[in-house]
Amino acid sequence: MIVDFAIYREGRRTEGPEDLSDALAEARAAGGFVWIGLYEPSEREFDLVTEEFALHPLAVEDALEAHQRPKLEVYDDSLFLVLKPVMYEPRSDSVSTGEVMVFLGDAFVVTVRHGEGAPLAAVRRRLEQEPKLLVKGPTSVLYAVADAVVDHYLDVAGELQTDLEELEAEVFSPDGGGSRYSASRIYTFKRQILEFRRATVPLAGPLTRLAGTAAFGTTVPFVNEKAQPFFRDVSDHLARVNESVEALDRLVSDVLSAHLAQMTVRQNDDVRKISAWAAMVAVPTLIAGIYGMNFAHMPELHWLWSYPAVIGVMVALVVLLYRLFKRRGWM
């Protein structure tokens, strides 16, 4: 459905005709542009927008189906950018992603939002309070959306860094590291990092093109060349995010390796303790087994002190083994 629709002239919002074709013609005549915001539109709802703005069918298909990787596509009459906003849920310490598609033309912007957490409403309000930026045309909307999405990446990266520090404290604590739930939490955290990377890493290429720093420094159509320094700034922020995400991924892998090493060491300790106790039980069992064979001719069977002597030998050997294992750290 259409959540917002307006014509912008000289950086100011004005209400225009409801007919999209008339609104576009009016915006072109006045040197302004039309900005339409859509939220999870159906194919039928999107048909009118597609027809009036001559959007490419492949881009329209991507916008309707969603579940796209961040990318930048250039068509004859428009530019198509896919962004994946990332949301952090403090209660569950989890990361989820939405999608924002931006169609950019000579005098129009169409934004399509899927999922929650996309900052489009806040971006529109901020731009409407900055006419000097909005007067730059559709490029200003593209920049503001990309900047808002990437800036929020930095916030999410900070939250994940805090979660990782808490996870490290739990794993390396004297009691927490051996918890059977620790491996599950580490693996779940690694999945969150992977979800985050799927949103941030593929976006580097499109922002590089928009910043004019791609191969051969080619200019992207429908994007004002004067906006390239602003896109370079967004690209630099994204590079910081990707470095942070890469560091988080390495650290959580190291934490998982350390946890598994701890578990192995503790299992070895347990095995040694069990072996030590088994050895101490085996000695008296062996002696008792020998004297329980009931042969008629065995030494010391009729000696008065045979029973106390055998018991004493058992106790002495067990004490000797206990002290030996204790000295070696097995007990």
Side-chain angles (χ1 to χ4, degrees):
M1 62 179 179
I2 297 178
V3 295
D4 206 343
F5 168 48
I7 299 175
Y8 294 88
R9 302 186 184 93
E10 298 180 355
R12 302 291 180 181
R13 177 181 179 130
T14 60
E15 301 302 327
E18 294 183 1
D19 183 78
L20 296 182
S21 180
D22 293 341
L24 183 59
E26 184 176 322
R28 282 173 173 162
F33 67 94
V34 176
W35 183 358
I36 300 176
L38 299 167
Y39 175 68
E40 296 184 357
S42 64
E43 184 175 355
R44 184 176 180 180
E45 292 172 333
F46 208 51
D47 282 343
L48 180 60
V49 177
T50 302
E51 181 180 352
E52 296 297 339
F53 297 126
L55 304 180
H56 197 279
L58 292 178
V60 171
E61 181 182 354
D62 289 343
L64 289 173
E65 293 183 0
H67 305 294
Q68 304 296 318
R69 297 174 74 252
K71 63 180 180 178
L72 176 66
E73 300 287 351
V74 178
Y75 300 101
D76 293 336
D77 299 317
S78 63
L79 176 150
F80 179 60
L81 176 66
V82 179
L83 300 160
K84 294 183 75 69
V86 175
M87 289 74 71
Y88 177 80
E89 300 294 339
R91 295 182 179 179
S92 58
D93 294 336
S94 62
V95 169
S96 59
T97 58
E99 287 189 42
V100 172
M101 286 83 166
V102 182
F103 293 88
L104 194 73
D106 60 333
F108 68 86
V109 179
V110 178
T111 53
V112 183
R113 176 168 63 93
H114 290 269
E116 301 298 329
L120 296 183
V123 168
R124 189 185 287 262
R125 287 195 300 269
R126 181 170 66 85
L127 283 175
E128 290 176 354
Q129 295 173 1
E130 299 182 20
K132 291 183 179 180
L133 181 59
L134 198 57
V135 76
K136 304 297 182 182
T139 302
S140 63
V141 177
L142 184 67
Y143 159 72
V145 172
D147 184 55
V149 170
V150 173
D151 281 349
H152 193 59
Y153 288 165
L154 291 169
D155 297 334
V156 175
E159 296 287 351
L160 290 175
Q161 179 65 44
T162 302
D163 288 347
L164 180 58
E165 291 173 357
E166 294 175 356
L167 188 58
E168 284 180 312
E170 175 187 328
V171 169
F172 293 108
S173 66
D175 300 326
S179 172
R180 59 179 178 177
Y181 301 110
S182 295
S184 176
R185 284 199 60 194
I186 296 171
Y187 181 75
T188 300
F189 189 83
K190 194 169 181 64
R191 291 288 301 177
Q192 304 299 327
I193 298 296
L194 178 60
E195 185 74 14
F196 195 16
R197 293 188 65 179
R198 286 175 178 170
T200 63
V201 174
L203 186 57
L207 285 180
T208 299
R209 291 178 61 188
L210 291 171
T213 55
F216 309 111
T218 55
T219 303
V220 179
F222 308 107
V223 176
N224 192 326
E225 290 186 14
K226 294 181 179 180
Q228 288 182 348
F230 296 94
F231 284 110
R232 280 198 291 270
D233 181 65
V234 178
S235 183
D236 289 342
H237 289 177
L238 181 65
R240 287 173 51 196
V241 171
N242 285 332
E243 289 174 359
S244 298
V245 174
E246 187 68 26
L248 287 172
D249 189 47
R250 289 197 303 267
L251 283 172
V252 75
S253 297
D254 292 342
V255 170
L256 179 58
S257 299
H259 171 69
L260 294 177
Q262 281 184 321
M263 295 298 294
T264 301
V265 170
R266 295 188 181 191
Q267 287 176 351
N268 290 338
D269 289 340
D270 292 340
V271 170
R272 285 187 298 184
K273 290 178 181 179
I274 294 172
S275 300
W277 285 108
M280 289 189 293
V281 171
V283 169
T285 302
L286 174 64
I287 297 174
I290 291 175
Y291 279 91
M293 290 187 293
N294 298 320
F295 288 111
H297 302 286
M298 290 186 68
E300 294 88 26
L301 283 179
H302 302 289
W303 183 37
L304 180 62
W305 298 100
S306 295
Y307 180 76
V310 170
I311 295 299
V313 170
M314 290 181 182
V315 172
L317 290 175
V318 169
V319 170
L320 179 63
L321 289 174
Y322 178 82
R323 294 184 63 183
L324 179 63
F325 293 143
K326 190 74 173 178
R327 184 180 303 171
R328 294 187 177 184
W330 285 31
M331 300 292 294

